[in-house]
Amino acid sequence: MNYKNIKIPFAEKKIKKLEKHGDVRIDNYYWLNQREDKEVISYIESENKYYDSVMDSTKNFQEEVFEEMKARIKEEDSSVPYKKRGYYYINKYIKGAQYPIYTRKKETLEADEEVILDVNDMAKGFEYYKVSGLTVSSNNKLAAYGIDSVSRREYTLQFKNLETGEIYADKIEKTQGDPTWANDNKTIFYTKQDPQTLRSDRVFMHVLGTDASEDKEVFFEQDEAFSCYVYKTKSEKYIVIGSYSTLSTEYRVLEADNPSGEFKVIQERMDDLEYSIAHYDSHFYILTNKDNSINFKIVKTPENATTVENWVDVIPHDENILIEDFSIFKDYLVIEDRFEGLNRVRIKRWDETEDYFLPFGEETYAAGVYGNSEFNTDIIRYTYNSLSTPNSVIDFNMKTREKKIKKEQEVLDKNFDKDNYKSERLWATGDDGEKIAISVVYRKDTPLNSETPLLLYAYGSYGHTIDPSFSTTRLSLLDRGFVFAIAHIRGGEYLGRKWYENGKLLTKKNTFTDFTSCAKFLIEKNYTSARHLYAQGGSAGGMLMGVILNTNPELFNGVLAEVPFVDVVTTMLDDTIPLTTGEYDEWGNPNEKKYYDYMKSYSPYDNVVNQKYPNILVTTGFHDSQVQYFEPAKWVAKLRDFKTDNNLLLFHTNMDTGHSGSSGRFDSLKEVARDFVFLLELEKSSSN
């Protein structure tokens, strides 16, 4: 990457005073939030041109890494079939195609294939295209689905007759993309968003064949801190509307046979009461934190008496075990929990004659139950993989305890052998003495010393845990001598709910110091050195990148910040920005001075200073509705003004995408190749 003689873009300073609680902040780049302004577009384009110029010499290398990644995946591939209401459903890819084809077969896998949707045909002429919420009616004759061709998570619902192939004239625009069929096969419930904030706040009922303007609003979520969604229970008896904030939930149900009826509240919302529901026989089964059950418990309550005083424990609370989810079958209750950071799957017969865990053998791994749409079965489907073991889809007979591997992820590389890689779990010590797990993977022939390049990844917010999962793309780093590590920092739930509670609001800084503690530990243990250490994070993890760049720039040679949430104070004070009000329970409400002061003390944009920064690549999507493009744009502009070094600072905006990047499977690989080549080129320079 030759950038010494390339002109660096600088954004014009336009002073904007922002005052709150008597505190005045000067924001010289506030003007970049004007999405349609020609000057804004011109600046973004100048950054993209600078990026292209700097990276131009790496184009062949990027193409090499992309083709390498592409060659490892099976271009002609299909999902493991799952059965629902007499049909086997299969998603497949064909050679050269970017998007999936959704198919099904009646009764047996030998039956003729029916194509429900070929997204490749649908996506022709679009730079971005995503299908969401594909669902089939109870009589198996109709399909409903959402389409987003802009990448702003606003879906247009459409309907298809699966017998004739006809696409109905019904179109419902600007929805969340979550159609739910009533049992009459003509009524559909769906969610709409506030047009400005994009908060999901209304549930509507549509009758097939009628104009969408006639749709009835069946629920409006008035509380701006809550969002809502709609779905049908696995038993297919109830339509459910869920309302949720970070710390409180509420559900209401309607019998799916009576779509014109009235929804009934299960339990009215209460501060700090979280619960989720499933239906079985004559009861609702509920995962909840009631009674200070910080790691959650499972209770049940009769259909006709659903309020909290009727809830009876089924799986009691355990302060050492986080219950994450459960699945109901005719003869079994299956519980997914996390103990000492590791996933477990517990199988318990309703008659209490059996109660056991699925056996998992590695030191660090990822496992989870999924795709179990059948109720009356002894078979449970789950996935298993680790940082060094490709993913397997496994059917387990809960009665005989026999397992069948239905599909093993193929790595189409003759040189790949999982036994060539080692994954392990390390424990760093945080600033306050807490032990922080780090999942690590590397080739066994990679020497571990101060010259070893290492990429440290983390997220650390919303209780979301980054599990140590396998990646074929990551092999392009590992096979070139990189170590890859995941820091399981506070803000996630790796070590239970308290791990999350101690990494949010007024304890949010634990997230950042945990990450730097992990970085220092890896250096101290001679896995790498600051000259060869790299960091990566996206969205809220991008905020983490922004913080550690301000606090500990000396620890890293390069940082990847993807769609980074970096202008924390300004964003959280602007309730017109999508998703802001619903975030108060995570970050705090800066309209209260204590939260304002605390988030200002770490907000990456507000804490950029005159100092040396490592090499940085920042990426975003112009249509991002979660972290608006102008946050990273402002941050980069300010970094350019303040940084005192000659290290690289690159900013790339994809003008056709949003928060999740490209929609096509090959286009997304090109983005990964771009990021990896940035790291590999930096490493090449640092090793010379």
Side-chain angles (χ1 to χ4, degrees):
M1 295 180 287
N2 183 11
Y3 58 95
K4 300 299 183 184
N5 298 316
I6 302 173
K7 185 179 179 180
I8 298 173
F10 284 91
E12 183 181 346
K13 293 180 182 179
K14 300 181 182 181
I15 294 176
K16 172 80 171 180
K17 290 184 178 181
L18 302 171
E19 185 172 357
K20 191 72 176 178
H21 305 299
D23 178 58
V24 177
R25 292 179 299 132
I26 302 298
D27 189 344
N28 291 320
Y29 306 105
Y30 188 87
W31 63 275
L32 286 172
N33 67 4
Q34 300 302 305
R35 181 184 299 273
E36 307 298 330
D37 189 282
K38 290 182 180 179
E39 191 177 356
V40 172
I41 300 297
S42 177
Y43 169 68
I44 292 174
E45 288 177 344
S46 71
E47 286 284 2
N48 279 350
K49 287 177 183 176
Y50 177 65
Y51 166 85
D52 288 338
S53 297
V54 172
M55 296 295 287
D56 184 67
S57 62
T58 72
K59 281 185 177 179
N60 290 340
F61 191 14
Q62 288 185 56
E63 185 65 21
E64 174 191 332
V65 174
F66 163 69
E67 291 295 342
E68 184 177 284
M69 292 175 175
K70 182 181 175 185
R72 289 195 198 102
I73 64 174
K74 192 176 180 182
E75 286 202 51
E76 293 189 15
D77 201 7
S78 60
S79 63
V80 178
Y82 72 90
K83 195 173 185 182
K84 188 171 184 179
R85 291 194 298 266
Y87 281 85
Y88 285 97
Y89 288 86
I90 307 161
N91 306 335
K92 69 177 187 179
Y93 285 93
I94 59 175
K95 188 174 178 62
Q98 291 258 35
Y99 297 101
I101 302 171
Y102 297 98
T103 71
R104 68 178 185 177
K105 296 182 178 184
K106 190 173 184 179
E107 297 297 345
T108 72
L109 291 172
E110 287 69 45
D112 292 339
E113 178 183 85
E114 300 177 35
V115 174
I116 302 172
L117 296 176
D118 185 340
V119 184
N120 299 287
D121 287 341
M122 299 163 67
K124 288 177 179 175
F126 294 94
E127 290 293 329
Y128 180 94
Y129 203 88
K130 185 175 182 181
V131 170
S132 173
L134 174 61
T135 181
V136 176
S137 59
S138 299
N139 63 5
N140 295 317
K141 296 180 179 180
L142 305 167
Y145 51 93
I147 296 169
D148 176 11
S149 58
V150 178
S151 188
R152 198 155 168 81
R153 301 190 182 194
E154 294 180 296
Y155 293 88
T156 298
L157 294 187
Q158 292 192 241
F159 306 90
K160 181 177 181 179
N161 186 312
L162 298 179
E163 294 183 319
T164 66
E166 177 189 0
I167 305 294
Y168 289 159
D170 306 54
K171 276 191 178 183
I172 309 172
E173 297 183 344
K174 295 187 180 299
T175 78
Q176 195 182 16
D178 57 349
T180 299
W181 290 98
N183 290 345
D184 64 358
N185 303 297
K186 66 178 182 179
T187 304
I188 301 97
F189 293 88
Y190 64 92
T191 311
K192 270 187 170 284
Q193 301 158 306
D194 181 280
Q196 184 166 4
T197 67
L198 298 186
R199 178 176 70 94
S200 302
D201 61 358
R202 290 163 293 158
V203 177
F204 286 84
M205 181 178 74
H206 175 77
V207 177
L208 212 56
T210 64
D211 192 275
S213 63
E214 301 173 12
D215 289 359
K216 177 185 176 183
E217 182 182 295
V218 297
F219 177 68
F220 172 57
E221 178 50 72
Q222 299 183 48
D223 191 330
E224 292 184 352
F226 281 73
S227 298
C228 63
Y229 61 103
V230 63
Y231 69 98
K232 187 190 285 188
T233 58
K234 183 177 175 179
S235 66
E236 302 203 343
K237 183 174 180 179
Y238 290 101
I239 304 292
V240 183
I241 295 174
S243 290
Y244 65 95
S245 68
T246 305
L247 296 176
S248 178
T249 49
E250 180 181 73
Y251 290 86
R252 57 199 72 225
V253 296
L254 170 70
E255 291 199 8
D257 288 338
N258 181 29
S260 59
E262 295 294 323
F263 281 85
K264 169 194 169 186
V265 175
I266 295 290
Q267 165 59 47
E268 290 185 358
R269 66 191 66 178
M270 298 168 58
D271 289 345
D272 301 322
L273 176 66
E274 298 175 64
Y275 70 98
S276 59
I277 66 171
H279 175 254
Y280 168 55
D281 199 14
S282 60
H283 287 78
F284 287 106
Y285 285 76
I286 300 172
L287 180 63
T288 181
N289 66 347
K290 180 180 177 284
D291 302 323
N292 296 314
S293 302
I294 190 170
N295 277 333
F296 291 80
K297 63 179 178 177
I298 299 173
V299 302
K300 72 174 183 178
T301 193
E303 285 176 310
N304 58 0
T306 60
T307 50
V308 287
E309 64 270 16
N310 300 294
W311 294 5
V312 176
D313 285 8
V314 176
I315 304 295
H317 175 252
D318 188 322
E319 63 180 17
N320 297 312
I321 299 171
L322 173 68
I323 301 178
E324 296 187 315
D325 203 357
F326 67 94
S327 304
I328 289 176
F329 297 84
K330 180 176 180 292
D331 295 322
Y332 299 91
L333 173 65
V334 176
I335 304 109
E336 295 178 78
D337 67 31
R338 190 179 293 274
F339 177 64
E340 295 182 345
L342 300 179
N343 305 120
R344 302 193 306 181
V345 178
R346 179 183 175 187
I347 296 171
K348 178 180 173 67
R349 281 189 65 96
W350 291 113
D351 63 12
E352 299 188 348
T353 58
E354 288 184 298
D355 189 347
Y356 60 94
F357 290 91
L358 292 180
F360 302 129
E362 294 185 80
E363 181 179 352
T364 180
Y365 60 85
V369 173
Y370 92 109
N372 292 278
S373 58
E374 292 282 277
F375 170 71
N376 188 10
T377 179
D378 292 329
I379 304 297
I380 184 172
R381 178 166 293 170
Y382 69 95
T383 63
Y384 179 87
N385 67 107
S386 74
L387 289 170
S388 55
T389 304
N391 189 58
S392 291
V393 178
I394 300 164
D395 278 0
F396 181 82
N397 189 309
M398 295 180 282
K399 190 173 185 178
T400 66
R401 304 197 188 189
E402 295 175 314
K403 72 176 184 180
K404 290 183 179 179
I405 298 176
K406 304 296 289 186
K407 183 178 181 179
E408 288 184 290
Q409 181 181 5
E410 293 185 60
V411 181
L412 302 184
D413 181 344
K414 65 180 186 298
N415 296 317
F416 174 77
D417 182 346
K418 67 179 182 181
D419 291 332
N420 289 335
Y421 303 85
K422 180 179 180 180
S423 62
E424 58 184 337
R425 188 164 62 156
L426 310 172
W427 294 88
T429 302
D431 286 358
D432 58 358
E434 288 281 3
K435 295 295 184 182
I436 309 148
I438 311 171
S439 293
V440 179
V441 63
Y442 51 89
R443 282 188 64 99
K444 291 178 179 177
D445 56 5
T446 295
L448 300 178
N449 56 48
S450 61
E451 299 296 311
T452 306
L454 188 150
L455 176 58
L456 182 61
Y457 179 87
Y459 183 71
S461 291
Y462 302 104
H464 180 64
T465 300
I466 304 296
D467 282 316
S469 302
F470 185 78
S471 166
T472 59
T473 59
R474 193 184 299 134
L475 296 173
S476 291
L477 286 182
L478 301 183
D479 290 349
R480 288 178 171 86
F482 262 75
V483 175
F484 177 78
I486 301 170
H488 301 291
I489 55 183
R490 277 174 281 188
E493 287 185 340
Y494 188 79
L495 292 178
R497 184 72 172 189
K498 287 182 180 178
W499 203 242
Y500 168 46
E501 298 290 345
N502 290 326
K504 60 183 288 195
L505 297 174
L506 298 176
T507 60
K508 186 62 201 170
K509 290 182 182 179
N510 287 332
T511 299
F512 318 133
T513 57
D514 282 1
F515 188 82
T516 54
S517 293
C518 290
K520 292 173 182 176
F521 172 85
L522 291 165
I523 292 170
E524 289 166 4
K525 295 300 180 183
N526 215 31
Y527 276 76
T528 187
S529 63
R531 188 180 174 191
H532 299 280
L533 180 57
Y534 304 88
Q536 180 184 16
S539 195
M543 177 189 66
L544 167 64
M545 297 298 102
V547 173
I548 58 104
L549 279 167
N550 288 331
T551 61
N552 293 91
E554 78 286 351
L555 289 177
F556 306 95
N557 185 42
V559 171
L560 290 172
E562 301 155 319
V563 291
F565 174 38
V566 284
D567 192 11
V568 184
V569 178
T570 304
T571 292
M572 294 305 297
L573 281 170
D574 187 352
D575 60 12
T576 67
I577 292 177
L579 308 178
T580 291
T581 53
E583 304 282 288
Y584 289 158
D585 288 334
E586 180 71 23
W587 313 104
N589 182 349
N591 292 296
E592 297 180 40
K593 190 174 186 302
K594 66 177 180 178
Y595 292 114
Y596 174 90
D597 290 342
Y598 189 77
M599 66 176 63
K600 184 188 173 187
S601 73
Y602 68 75
S603 173
Y605 184 64
D606 291 289
N607 288 280
V608 172
V609 294
N610 288 116
Q611 66 177 4
K612 292 182 178 179
Y613 284 89
N615 300 284
I616 306 169
L617 171 59
V618 182
T619 61
T620 191
F622 189 65
H623 299 289
D624 194 336
S625 61
Q626 285 183 267
V627 178
Q628 304 284 313
Y629 76 90
F630 48 80
E631 288 203 39
K634 290 168 55 178
W635 181 48
V636 167
K638 190 171 182 179
L639 280 168
R640 290 209 185 283
D641 185 38
F642 276 77
K643 72 193 204 76
T644 60
D645 56 85
N646 293 317
N647 290 326
L648 265 178
L649 172 56
L650 296 179
F651 178 41
H652 183 267
T653 302
N654 188 324
M655 302 303 288
D656 298 312
T657 67
H659 199 65
S660 300
S662 296
S663 55
R665 59 174 175 160
F666 301 137
D667 288 341
S668 62
L669 282 182
K670 289 179 179 178
E671 293 176 341
V672 177
R674 168 201 68 194
D675 295 347
F676 282 7
V677 165
F678 175 76
L679 297 176
L680 290 164
E681 287 290 312
L682 290 179
E683 180 56 24
K684 190 187 302 181
S685 299
S686 69
S687 299
N688 291 336

